[in-house]
């Protein structure tokens, strides 16, 4: 799995940087620019990725006939294209004496499938729209349609000594993901360490937290205290929410989420038309430049054959309670508004390890969160508190990565397996709005005392199937709920999972062509814990570096 470096950052002007990079970067991979100075190196790379997608599954009546979900579901019918997207990524590294330098990267995109900004509708529900203007939200228009762009990495780095201690430091916009999670993000030590690109995650079952991480402005360092001990830390200079899969788009969930202009259909009355609960202010942390930081002490004893890390993090969470209601006397019909609310001031204590045993790379995490956001009914609370329920939780991860056993079916390959477990210790705030599951069919959105899930990724490779061509398969089952529904946001639910099956051809280590089928499964057709269950799709991609 590759480490994705695409992330959130600057504004529309970044598209100009991407286009300049596409035009000026020479036609070669990882271009080194001759500076005439042996101490100064400049590397420049520009990557292009073209993606096309078709819906292969019909519209489910349980989802398509829902007044709050029909506009996403009718974006594309069976056989229609839902994606015609070009992504461009340009990166430049300037390094002086292998000790100091800076890195800048930017991304741009355009998806022709979203040129029409008018929301699609179930013909029987054409008068019901989750947006008053009947169009995609501003966020969807920018991040799905474009053309647009953004600055990704933009930081300086350097190495120096404090006495006899070597220190590596970064300052600026970059991403940092601690822990060893391979698939599960909701139970990971890295939960809300960086905003996650769930727009990409909705398309790619099994994407790791590192692949989905988007950078933030921050200061970070790692100091090698001795041959055995190292100390790392970061301090965020800004805060951003996760990038969501927007309502009205093909892989969107409820139509009214996650932009700032949605509304929930509440009913209709003859002669008076439709009634809606309008969205109020999105409640984010009041001070985004302070209060998010982390410390990590790592140990690599000679006798252990691996490493052990201790972690403390203080954070404002980046996934919201999506629908928290409040009374609104200014609305004479419904008397309410709903808000997206982000939880603040969570403490995380964790320990992780990674080691090799029996030719298998093992990783494990154990973490405890205090005051984390829990699945909530939305209220409203009589005291006008907009927060949902919070509580203390325990999280455990165990994963393994190994070479596939030697078989005549393939030449080589890897397998990744991960088991996760969540335990709700207690609800500590707003217990009256904690949504406790009565059965596994109540999810997603409700929680049980504990829950577990399993993920499996198989990637067999066939070498030189023709001159210069290697093919790698991808068989993924992500987040299969073994039992219970996780009480934390975005956690797994019993018998829900996403899956994909496909292959990628690597041609002369310069071009990649991939074909992938993806879908989600739940106990019934619905907007499930791991995706919407009637969006089976085929995606064809072409990628190259120039």
């Amino acid at each position: 799995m590759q480490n994705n470096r695409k992330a959130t950052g600057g504004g529309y002007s970044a598209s100009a940087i991407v286009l300049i990079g596409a035009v000026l970067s020479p036609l070669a991979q990882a271009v080194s620019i001759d500076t005439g100075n042996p101490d100064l190196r400049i590397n420049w790379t520009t990557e292009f990725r073209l993606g096309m997608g078709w819906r292969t599954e019909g519209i489910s009546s349980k989802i398509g006939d829902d007044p709050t979900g029909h506009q996403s579901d009718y974006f594309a019918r069976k056989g229609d294209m839902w994606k015609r997207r070009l992504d461009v990524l340009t990166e430049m590294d300037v390094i002086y004496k292998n000790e100091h330098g800076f890195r800048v990267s930017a991304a741009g995109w355009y998806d022709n499938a979203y040129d029409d900004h008018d929301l699609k509708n179930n013909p029987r529900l054409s008068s019901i729209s989750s947006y008053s203007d009947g169009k995609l939200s501003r966020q969807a228009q920018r991040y799905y349609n474009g053309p647009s762009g953004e600055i990704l990495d933009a930081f300086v780095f350097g190495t120096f000594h404090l006495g006899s201690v070597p220190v590596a430091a970064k300052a600026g916009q970059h991403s940092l993901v601690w822990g060893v999670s391979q698939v599960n993000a909701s139970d990971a030590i890295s939960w809300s360490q960086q905003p996650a690109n769930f727009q990409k995650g909705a398309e790619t079952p099994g994407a790791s937290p590192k692949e989905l991480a988007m950078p933030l402005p921050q200061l970070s360092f790692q100091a090698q205290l001795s041959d055995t001990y190292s100390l790392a830390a970061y301090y965020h200079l800004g805060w951003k929410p996760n990038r969501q899969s927007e309502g009205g788009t093909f892989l969107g969930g409820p139509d009214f989420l996650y932009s700032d202009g949605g509304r929930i259909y509440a009913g209709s009355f003859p002669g008076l038309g439709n009634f809606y609960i309008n969205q109020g202010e999105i409640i984010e942390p009041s001070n985004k430049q302070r209060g998010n930081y982390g410390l990590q002490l790592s140990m690599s004893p000679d006798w252990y054959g691996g490493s052990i890390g201790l972690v403390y993090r203080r954070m404002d969470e980046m996934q919201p309670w999506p629908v928290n209601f409040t009374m609104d006397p200014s609305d004479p019909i419904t008397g309410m508004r709903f808000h997206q609310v982000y939880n603040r001031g969570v403490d995380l204590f964790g320990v992780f390890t990674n080691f090799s045993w029996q030719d298998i790379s093992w990783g494990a995490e154990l973490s405890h969160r205090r005051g984390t956001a829990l699945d909530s009914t939305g209220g409203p609370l009589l005291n006008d508190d907009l927060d949902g329920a919070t509580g203390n939780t325990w999280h455990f991860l165990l994963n393994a990565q190994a070479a596939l056993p030697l078989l005549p079916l393939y030449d080589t390959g890897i397998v990744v397996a991960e088991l996760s477990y969540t335990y709700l210790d207690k609800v500590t705030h707003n217990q009256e709005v904690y949504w406790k599951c009565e059965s596994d069919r109540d999810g997603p959105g409700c929680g049980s005392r504990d829950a577990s899930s399993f993920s499996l990724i198989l990637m067999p490779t066939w070498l030189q199937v023709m001159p210069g061509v290697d093919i790698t398969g991808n068989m993924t089952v992500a987040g299969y709920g073994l039992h219970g529904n996780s009480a934390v946001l975005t956690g797994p639910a019993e018998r829900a999972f996403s899956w994909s099956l496909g292959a990628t051809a690597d041609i002369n280590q310069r071009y990649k062509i991939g074909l992938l089928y993806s879908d989600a499964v739940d106990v019934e057709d619905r907007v499930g814990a791991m995706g919407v269950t009637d969006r089976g799709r085929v995606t064809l991609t072409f990628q190259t570096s120039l």
Side-chain angles (χ1 to χ4, degrees), residues 12 85 109 114 116-119 130-149 199 243-249 255-262 279-282 284 340:
Y12 290 84
R85 183 179 175 104
W109 58 86
Y114 286 89
D116 183 0
H117 294 170
D118 291 337
L119 291 166
S130 291
Y131 296 88
S132 59
D133 61 359
K135 295 184 180 297
L136 290 168
S137 67
R138 291 175 300 170
Q139 289 91 328
Q141 290 181 32
R142 179 186 177 189
Y143 292 112
Y144 285 81
N145 180 212
S148 188
Q199 177 183 342
R243 181 171 298 170
Q244 306 292 345
S245 190
E246 291 287 335
T249 66
D255 294 335
F256 53 86
L257 296 174
Y258 280 86
S259 74
D260 56 1
Q279 183 170 0
E281 178 187 2
I282 295 177
E284 297 182 344
Q340 295 173 55

Side-chain angles (χ1 to χ4, degrees), residues 297-351:
L297 177 65
S298 297
M299 300 161 280
S300 301
D302 292 337
W303 55 266
Y304 185 61
S307 63
I308 302 170
L310 302 175
V311 172
Y312 169 73
R313 293 181 50 226
R314 177 75 172 180
M315 60 180 160
D316 297 324
E317 293 180 299
M318 297 170 178
Q319 182 68 16
W321 289 292
V323 180
N324 283 4
F325 293 103
T326 185
M327 305 304 295
D328 182 12
S330 67
D331 189 328
I333 305 299
T334 65
M336 288 193 297
R337 287 187 181 271
F338 78 94
H339 301 261
Q340 295 173 55
V341 182
Y342 291 85
N343 188 33
R344 289 84 62 204
V346 179
D347 293 303
L348 183 149
F349 305 85
V351 58

Side-chain angles (χ1 to χ4, degrees), residues 4 12 57 77 102 122 160 212 354 406 446 509 518 520:
N4 178 46
Y12 290 84
E57 189 174 3
R77 299 179 186 242
F102 66 88
N122 180 334
F160 54 92
L212 301 182
N354 55 72
L406 294 177
C446 68
Q509 296 184 347
S518 308

Side-chain angles (χ1 to χ4, degrees), residues 153-212:
D153 292 329
F155 63 89
V156 296
F157 60 87
T159 59
F160 54 92
H161 283 76
L162 289 177
S164 61
V165 177
V167 179
K170 295 180 181 179
Q173 185 160 281
H174 60 283
S175 59
L176 194 64
V177 178
W178 287 352
V180 298
S181 174
Q182 295 278 6
V183 179
N184 187 299
S186 64
D187 291 311
I189 281 175
S190 61
W191 168 253
S192 286
Q193 186 174 6
Q194 304 288 149
N197 187 346
F198 288 148
Q199 177 183 342
K200 177 185 177 183
E203 292 189 23
T204 313
S208 71
K210 288 184 179 180
E211 290 176 289
L212 301 182

Side-chain angles (χ1 to χ4, degrees), residues 215-226:
L216 285 173
Q218 59 186 309
L219 306 174
S220 67
F221 76 86
Q222 181 170 346
Q224 192 66 43
L225 304 179
S226 69

Side-chain angles (χ1 to χ4, degrees), residues 171-469:
Q173 185 160 281
H174 60 283
S175 59
L176 194 64
V177 178
W178 287 352
V180 298
S181 174
Q182 295 278 6
V183 179
N184 187 299
S186 64
D187 291 311
I189 281 175
S190 61
W191 168 253
S192 286
Q193 186 174 6
Q194 304 288 149
N197 187 346
F198 288 148
Q199 177 183 342
K200 177 185 177 183
E203 292 189 23
T204 313
S208 71
K210 288 184 179 180
E211 290 176 289
L212 301 182
M214 303 190 301
L216 285 173
Q218 59 186 309
L219 306 174
S220 67
F221 76 86
Q222 181 170 346
Q224 192 66 43
L225 304 179
S226 69
D227 291 341
T228 301
Y229 295 94
S230 66
L231 179 68
Y234 70 85
Y235 192 95
H236 286 174
L237 303 176
W239 178 96
K240 292 181 181 178
N242 294 333
R243 181 171 298 170
Q244 306 292 345
S245 190
E246 291 287 335
T249 66
F250 176 64
L251 294 176
D255 294 335
F256 53 86
L257 296 174
Y258 280 86
S259 74
D260 56 1
R263 57 183 187 177
I264 302 173
Y265 175 74
S268 61
F269 193 82
L272 296 178
N274 300 326
F275 303 134
Y276 297 91
I277 300 174
N278 293 307
Q279 183 170 0
E281 178 187 2
I282 295 177
I283 309 300
E284 297 182 344
S286 57
N287 191 335
K288 299 180 180 181
Q289 289 75 43
R290 301 176 63 182
N292 289 269
Y293 54 89
L295 295 170
Q296 175 179 285
L297 177 65
S298 297
M299 300 161 280
S300 301
D302 292 337
W303 55 266
Y304 185 61
S307 63
I308 302 170
L310 302 175
V311 172
Y312 169 73
R313 293 181 50 226
R314 177 75 172 180
M315 60 180 160
D316 297 324
E317 293 180 299
M318 297 170 178
Q319 182 68 16
W321 289 292
V323 180
N324 283 4
F325 293 103
T326 185
M327 305 304 295
D328 182 12
S330 67
D331 189 328
I333 305 299
T334 65
M336 288 193 297
R337 287 187 181 271
F338 78 94
H339 301 261
Q340 295 173 55
V341 182
Y342 291 85
N343 188 33
R344 289 84 62 204
V346 179
D347 293 303
L348 183 149
F349 305 85
V351 58
F352 68 89
T353 183
N354 55 72
F355 59 93
S356 295
W357 181 63
Q358 296 292 317
D359 295 324
I360 299 173
S361 296
W362 297 87
E365 295 182 1
L366 176 65
S367 61
H368 177 58
R369 293 186 215 158
R370 293 181 179 175
T372 193
L374 304 176
D375 290 327
S376 301
T377 62
L381 289 166
L382 297 179
N383 61 2
D384 289 331
D385 187 348
L386 286 175
D387 287 345
T390 61
N392 300 340
T393 55
W394 289 90
H395 306 265
F396 175 73
L397 281 171
L398 175 66
N399 56 47
Q401 179 174 320
L404 286 171
L406 294 177
L407 294 173
L409 298 175
Y410 47 80
D411 295 315
T412 185
I414 62 171
V415 55
V416 178
E418 183 166 273
L419 180 69
S420 70
Y421 177 76
T422 311
Y423 180 79
L424 173 59
D425 183 14
K426 61 180 177 179
V427 181
T428 57
H429 181 66
N430 287 344
Q431 184 168 3
E432 57 268 44
V433 295
Y434 170 61
W435 188 359
K436 181 180 179 181
C437 292
E438 299 299 328
S439 75
D440 62 330
R441 289 183 176 271
D442 289 345
C446 68
S448 50
R449 173 62 71 177
D450 63 347
S452 61
S453 70
F454 178 75
S455 298
L456 180 68
I457 301 174
L458 301 174
M459 301 181 68
T461 299
W462 297 267
L463 302 173
Q464 296 296 295
V465 294
M466 59 181 69
V469 179

